[in-house]
Amino acid sequence: MAAANTLQDLSSLPVTEKMSECKASLTNKPCVGKFNGKSEDKPLPSSLVVETEKPEGEKASVEVEYIESQNLNDVDDADAVLKSVLAGLDSKDWITVCDALNNVRRLSIFHKDAMLHLLEKVIPLVVNSLKNPRSAVCKTACMTSADIFSAYNDHITDLLDSLLTQLLLKSSQDKRFVCEAADKALISMTKYVSPTLLLPKLQPCLKNRNPRIRAKASLCFSRSVPRLGVEGITEYGIDKLVQAAASQLSDQLPESREAARTVLLELQTVYEKAQPLIKPETASSPEEEQQTLEAEPITWEIFCQSKLSALSAQAVLRVTNVVAVTARESLVTTGSSSSSQL
């Protein structure tokens, strides 16, 4: 009688309360649940693999299969994917988002002209994926960013600010495999986006309050400056670049300081090659300009002292003249040894 009453009570419960809790076992099996009293297996897509976490986690995690760009295949129906990709990127289901991100990568590689008009809507959604708490979504978004840079180059300059900020953030303070993917995306950015357009975007990041973001921005800065070439550096303004690099010499992290040294040595070489191309600021007429050009050239030391504060100039000269200083110290040491022997 008691058993019959119990069964009657259970039958009166709503379906949501009768749903059994789906707990992952410690074996690599899909999650199984009962809905409306029926057992239902939910098979996982072939692009996913199931991995078990530590026992204390008491749940299994699903990890996306990360496909390198060269191994991606074309989509079956480009038109259909173009129509659905925005909805997929904006989905609440993270697996759907990852699939949509991979479709963006495929479209960028195989149908870049067809997706060009969607970039204005796609990139903000990629930025949202970079903010996603799931590491799998973040890494896939980083890989998507790298493919977008390589496909669209300067077409995304106007949309770059928020994407750059998130990539710098992810490359500096996330799980290691996410950081590595973000680093690759930043390398792709400095490789494919014109340095003339990219450097103005990077310079504010050199002053970010987060020292790790400053360090990553400094590395991007050091990769972009040499791509300008001698004439490009002269046109951009070698004084602006020297000032930006000098500000990183006293930075908290060694990565920033080393990147600044690399840039300053490059700029010193360019300055010595391009002196005839650098127009003096004091010349107000062609005659004065000609007289200035005929005068003795301005040395790197004088140039730094005229463009930087005393302390910054001293730091820059210490870095760029280290070879000469070392040579002089060696000569002094040798001379002292010879005198002592006499």
Side-chain angles (χ1 to χ4, degrees):
M1 190 71 179
N5 291 335
T6 303
L7 288 174
Q8 185 176 3
D9 292 341
L10 284 173
S11 64
S12 64
L13 289 174
V15 173
T16 53
E17 293 186 30
K18 288 193 289 182
M19 190 192 313
S20 65
E21 182 182 4
C22 181
K23 296 182 180 179
S25 64
L26 294 180
T27 60
N28 292 343
K29 293 182 179 180
C31 187
V32 179
K34 291 184 179 180
F35 297 86
N36 297 325
K38 295 180 180 180
S39 178
E40 181 180 343
D41 290 347
K42 290 191 173 181
L44 293 167
S46 59
S47 60
L48 304 178
V49 294
V50 179
E51 293 184 358
T52 56
E53 292 183 349
K54 295 179 181 180
E56 58 266 24
E58 294 186 354
K59 61 180 181 180
S61 65
V62 180
E63 186 173 313
V64 174
E65 179 185 1
Y66 306 112
I67 308 171
E68 295 299 326
S69 302
Q70 63 271 20
N71 297 327
L72 283 169
N73 296 320
D74 194 359
V75 295
D76 294 330
D77 187 344
D79 291 335
V81 174
L82 283 166
K83 291 177 182 178
S84 63
V85 69
L86 293 178
L89 291 172
D90 202 29
S91 173
K92 302 299 181 183
D93 177 27
W94 69 274
I95 297 176
T96 302
V97 173
C98 287
D99 287 340
L101 287 168
N102 280 324
N103 281 334
V104 170
R105 298 175 65 200
R106 293 183 177 96
L107 291 170
S108 299
I109 295 170
F110 299 103
H111 305 277
K112 70 175 186 178
D113 293 334
M115 200 181 72
L116 182 60
H117 71 284
L118 285 178
L119 282 180
E120 191 173 347
K121 296 178 180 179
V122 166
I123 289 181
L125 292 172
V126 173
V127 171
N128 288 343
S129 296
L130 287 169
K131 299 176 183 178
N132 195 293
R134 283 194 177 273
S135 300
V137 177
C138 288
K139 176 167 181 175
T140 308
C142 290
M143 299 174 78
T144 304
S145 302
D147 289 329
I148 288 175
F149 289 135
S150 64
Y152 294 103
N153 312 126
D154 297 342
H155 289 291
I156 63 165
T157 307
D158 295 336
L159 304 167
L160 187 58
D161 291 326
S162 58
L163 188 59
L164 172 60
T165 300
Q166 285 302 314
L167 287 173
L168 289 171
L169 189 62
K170 289 299 171 184
S171 68
S172 59
Q173 53 184 45
D174 210 299
K175 293 180 180 177
R176 181 176 177 181
F177 71 100
V178 175
C179 290
E180 290 173 351
D183 280 334
K184 290 180 180 179
L186 290 171
I187 290 171
S188 178
M189 177 188 70
T190 54
K191 180 179 179 180
Y192 293 107
V193 178
S194 168
T196 307
L197 299 174
L198 181 59
L199 286 170
K201 306 282 187 182
L202 285 171
Q203 283 189 247
C205 301
L206 298 176
K207 300 177 182 179
N208 194 284
R209 290 182 298 175
N210 187 324
R212 293 189 178 276
I213 290 180
R214 290 200 305 271
K216 295 296 183 179
S218 295
L219 289 171
C220 293
F221 188 78
S222 68
R223 289 193 296 264
S224 295
V225 169
R227 292 188 61 224
L228 285 169
V230 176
E231 291 187 6
I233 288 175
T234 304
E235 291 174 4
Y236 189 87
I238 193 169
D239 52 337
K240 296 177 185 177
L241 297 172
V242 168
Q243 290 162 1
S247 68
Q248 300 303 299
L249 280 179
S250 58
D251 196 82
Q252 178 180 345
L253 293 181
E255 294 94 332
S256 296
R257 300 195 296 270
E258 185 59 35
R261 291 188 193 101
T262 302
V263 172
L264 288 167
L265 288 169
E266 176 74 20
L267 292 174
Q268 181 189 24
T269 302
V270 170
Y271 178 81
E272 292 170 352
K273 289 181 180 179
Q275 262 191 326
L277 301 176
I278 301 174
K279 295 182 179 180
E281 296 179 358
T282 55
S284 58
S285 66
E287 292 78 9
E288 291 180 2
E289 184 176 332
Q290 183 62 30
Q291 291 174 1
T292 308
L293 290 174
E294 291 174 355
E296 292 185 4
I298 300 174
T299 64
W300 170 251
E301 182 177 358
I302 295 174
F303 175 78
C304 291
Q305 290 171 345
S306 67
K307 301 296 181 182
L308 303 169
S309 66
L311 286 176
S312 293
Q314 185 179 4
V316 169
L317 293 172
R318 188 184 303 118
V319 169
T320 54
N321 294 334
V322 65
V323 176
V325 171
T326 304
R328 286 198 297 269
E329 289 177 349
S330 177
L331 287 173
V332 171
T333 306
T334 304
S336 301
S337 301
S338 300
S339 300
S340 61
Q341 288 176 1
L342 290 174

